[in-house]
Amino acid sequence: METGARKWIIVITVVLCALLELIDTSIVNVALTQMMGNLSATLSEVSWVIASYAIANVIVVPMTGFLSEQFGRRNYFGFSVILFTLASIACGQSTNIWELVAFRFIQGVGGGALMATSQSILIDTFPPKQLALGQALFGMGVIIGPTIGPTLGGFIVDNYDWPWIFYVNVPVGILATIFTFLFIKDPESIANAIPRPLRQLDWAGIFLLILGVGSLQFVLEKGETEDWFESGLIVTFSVLAVIGVIGFIWRELTAKNPIVDLRVLTRSRNLALGAILSFILGFGLFASVFIFPIFTQRILGFTAAQTGYLLLPGALLSGFMMPVIGKALQAGIPQKYMLPFGFGIFFIFTFWMSQKITGSAGEDDFYWPLMLRGLGLSLLFLPVTTMSLQGLRGKDGAQAAGLTGMLRQLGGSFGVAIVGTYLERNIAYNRVALLPNISLYDPETQQRVQAFTQNFLSKGFSLEQAKQQAYQVLDFTLMKEASLITYAQTFTMLGLFFLACIPLIIFVKRVRDAGPIDLAAH
């Protein structure tokens, strides 16, 4: 345990590193158009800038417990910060798209350690009775990071150039490296561990992890653009994912020295339930962050910066509420009561948003629903995290942090993939469903076309051109209406998903949180 100023320097260091890693998952999204122009890349090629980072992340995260034990947690964390920082510089210096993709993969390898290792460092920095406080501080970074990424990215792209979205990592990376080697220490369980010889490493487990989880992440990232199972590439990687994941689970449950100790799930019922809830939390966090910017920018014409500013107050509310929720947990309010309440609030948020989806919606319409989302996330993230890690320290704590981190990220990838596919396909479906309402023989439609035509004639178009433009406007209006219906349906679908999660909490047989969080007895 750490005390005094040293403890808070460690907290600031690891929370900033986790924040950096999460910001970088979304900050590049708003710069893709600039990258396409500057690097002469197609949309398909530039999408690999996002996919390569995510694939590297999800492979590394579950291995962080083993790598910390093998090389020493301080050394591994410090090396990862250095790797992340150097890769950020290299990304900004890239001269073609495939250089950038390669350096983003390396950045993802470094970034994967920043999340899970930061969490395990906090577990051992705070005494057991203050676990909720430590995880509240960590949660601030997890909730705020994906939200401020597009805001910060939009500001940088509007005022500077796209390489600066990577260069902003450098000062924080340098400070974090210095503080890591000056202040962070390994716990005794890791400091006294004897590194395994290379020949004794779980190479089969490493291979199956890369094959299974890497292929699964590839399918989720590229499935929509490749038309899912209509593509032979997606079918091939789906088969590899199934083989790899099943083989990985079998290997890690039977190996003497597994790369990822899945048996920790059997030793902690709280962790097993927390792992499921981490997946659900990731689904909701990333799916809702994904759909809202698409709606505001495609339909309402907001800029990326405007959208980011809209999301920011709710994210800040989540950050502010984290210590409050932590105090409530320490005071004895059980997680099993907070979690259904959090899911219920998220359901209200999504239902409220479905009512706000109109073509005339403005910024004020979304302020309070997004604030409610922020409150709901704070009531979900901290109880899930503290429940998952309850009673686990040292090696088990590091393994648990890696597992929950991986499942939270996979949940986010599933959420984005499912919502993205649902949007694209249902917009087309709703457009076809609305077509019978538009007939050139209908007097109201004829009046609209005539009004559009007269408008274009007044701007100097010929009669034929004006008619063509009028029909295009009519088609655009039809597509916009179909899109509005689909976005509302998507928020409703998300709400029903969260509503269905409440029985999982209510009817779970045993959650060890009947009293205040006091892990000293474990």
Side-chain angles (χ1 to χ4, degrees):
M1 300 303 141
E2 301 289 351
T3 57
R6 184 188 189 98
K7 177 170 78 172
W8 294 109
I9 290 172
I10 293 172
V11 169
I12 292 170
T13 301
V14 298
V15 169
L16 277 177
C17 287
L19 187 63
L20 268 186
E21 199 277 331
L22 283 162
I23 287 174
D24 269 67
T25 61
S26 58
I27 194 172
V28 300
N29 296 17
V30 296
L32 295 180
T33 303
Q34 269 200 7
M35 291 175 183
M36 288 169 64
N38 291 354
L39 300 176
S40 301
T42 65
L43 180 60
S44 177
E45 289 172 340
V46 82
S47 68
W48 278 101
V49 175
I50 298 172
S52 60
Y53 186 87
I55 291 170
N57 251 213
V58 81
I59 290 172
V60 170
V61 166
M63 291 196 293
T64 52
F66 160 76
L67 293 171
S68 295
E69 182 184 347
Q70 184 73 10
F71 301 108
R73 190 166 64 190
R74 182 184 68 172
N75 293 336
Y76 175 55
F77 187 74
F79 169 77
S80 297
V81 175
I82 293 170
L83 184 65
F84 182 86
T85 306
L86 292 176
S88 297
I89 297 172
C91 285
Q93 294 290 313
S94 298
T95 57
N96 66 68
I97 187 63
W98 297 115
E99 268 187 37
L100 180 56
V101 169
F103 289 130
R104 274 284 283 177
F105 185 86
I106 295 170
Q107 189 190 36
V109 171
L114 301 187
M115 273 290 292
T117 312
S118 293
Q119 195 171 11
S120 62
I121 289 171
L122 286 176
I123 294 172
D124 291 319
T125 298
F126 285 84
K129 290 184 179 180
Q130 293 182 354
L131 174 65
L133 175 60
Q135 295 307 311
L137 296 169
F138 175 76
M140 290 171 66
V142 172
I143 300 298
I144 293 173
T147 305
I148 67 173
T151 311
L152 181 60
F155 175 80
I156 291 172
V157 169
D158 289 345
N159 294 279
Y160 302 97
D161 201 4
W162 67 264
W164 284 97
I165 65 177
F166 299 111
Y167 295 151
V168 294
N169 296 332
V170 176
V172 178
I174 292 172
L175 285 175
T177 302
I178 295 170
F179 289 157
T180 295
F181 288 106
L182 285 178
F183 297 103
I184 293 178
K185 296 186 299 185
D186 288 334
E188 287 186 16
S189 60
I190 291 178
N192 298 331
I194 300 174
R196 300 176 204 170
L198 289 178
R199 66 179 181 278
Q200 292 182 12
L201 296 186
D202 182 18
W203 293 108
I206 294 172
F207 171 75
L208 290 168
L209 173 64
I210 294 171
L211 178 68
V213 178
S215 297
L216 177 59
Q217 186 69 27
F218 173 85
V219 170
L220 295 172
E221 291 285 333
K222 305 296 290 183
E224 178 60 28
T225 58
E226 298 289 337
D227 200 21
W228 292 103
F229 298 108
E230 297 299 318
S231 164
L233 184 68
I234 295 300
V235 171
T236 300
F237 273 91
S238 297
V239 172
L240 291 176
V242 171
I243 294 171
V245 169
I246 293 174
F248 171 72
I249 293 172
W250 172 81
R251 172 68 186 180
E252 301 313 281
L253 289 175
T254 57
K256 183 178 180 182
N257 296 304
I259 189 79
V260 180
D261 187 6
L262 296 182
R263 285 171 291 217
V264 71
L265 291 167
T266 64
R267 295 194 291 269
S268 172
R269 188 174 299 181
N270 283 344
L271 175 59
L273 177 60
I276 297 171
L277 294 177
S278 293
F279 182 91
I280 294 170
L281 179 63
F283 188 104
L285 173 61
F286 287 97
S288 57
V289 169
F290 169 75
I291 184 177
F292 181 71
I294 293 178
F295 167 69
T296 55
Q297 292 174 53
R298 280 189 183 178
I299 306 300
L300 303 181
F302 290 6
T303 65
Q306 276 181 291
T307 304
Y309 294 140
L310 272 175
L311 289 166
L312 194 56
L316 293 176
L317 175 65
S318 287
F320 173 78
M321 286 298 297
M322 286 292 177
V324 178
I325 301 298
K327 289 290 185 183
L329 288 168
Q330 285 184 306
I333 298 178
Q335 290 105 322
K336 63 184 176 183
Y337 296 145
M338 281 192 184
L339 289 170
F341 192 50
F343 281 122
I345 287 179
F346 227 97
F347 166 73
I348 296 171
F349 151 70
T350 52
F351 180 78
W352 198 354
M353 284 294 291
S354 71
Q355 306 303 304
K356 295 290 185 180
I357 300 296
T358 65
S360 59
E363 295 181 15
D364 292 343
D365 291 301
F366 303 115
Y367 180 81
W368 288 111
L370 291 173
M371 291 292 279
L372 191 65
R373 172 184 176 273
L375 177 62
L377 283 174
S378 65
L379 284 165
L380 290 175
F381 179 84
L382 193 53
V384 168
T385 305
T386 53
M387 180 178 67
S388 300
L389 302 177
Q390 201 166 356
L392 303 174
R393 309 193 74 79
K395 296 177 185 178
D396 283 354
Q399 292 284 354
L403 281 170
T404 54
M406 178 189 73
L407 288 169
R408 185 167 54 244
Q409 187 163 332
L410 282 175
S413 297
F414 269 95
V416 169
I418 291 171
V419 166
T421 302
Y422 183 86
L423 278 175
E424 293 297 325
R425 299 194 175 183
N426 273 48
I427 286 174
Y429 173 83
N430 285 324
R431 183 183 184 280
V432 172
L434 289 174
L435 272 175
N437 298 316
I438 298 178
S439 169
L440 293 179
Y441 299 102
D442 179 58
E444 187 176 343
T445 303
Q446 290 176 353
Q447 288 176 7
R448 278 194 170 192
V449 172
Q450 184 63 30
F452 292 148
T453 303
Q454 290 299 322
N455 181 51
F456 286 113
L457 283 171
S458 68
K459 294 179 180 178
F461 288 88
S462 68
L463 180 60
E464 188 62 30
Q465 289 173 330
K467 284 185 176 180
Q468 290 299 321
Q469 292 291 331
Y471 291 137
Q472 287 180 18
V473 171
L474 189 64
D475 184 68
F476 173 80
T477 304
L478 175 65
M479 182 61 74
K480 183 176 180 179
E481 191 62 32
S483 298
L484 288 171
I485 293 171
T486 305
Y487 282 107
Q489 289 173 339
T490 305
F491 274 108
T492 302
M493 179 189 72
L494 282 173
L496 293 174
F497 170 77
F498 285 108
L499 195 63
C501 291
I502 295 177
L504 177 67
I505 307 301
I506 295 176
F507 296 109
V508 79
K509 291 183 179 179
R510 185 181 178 194
V511 180
R512 298 176 195 166
D513 60 354
I517 293 182
D518 182 0
L519 309 184
H522 293 271

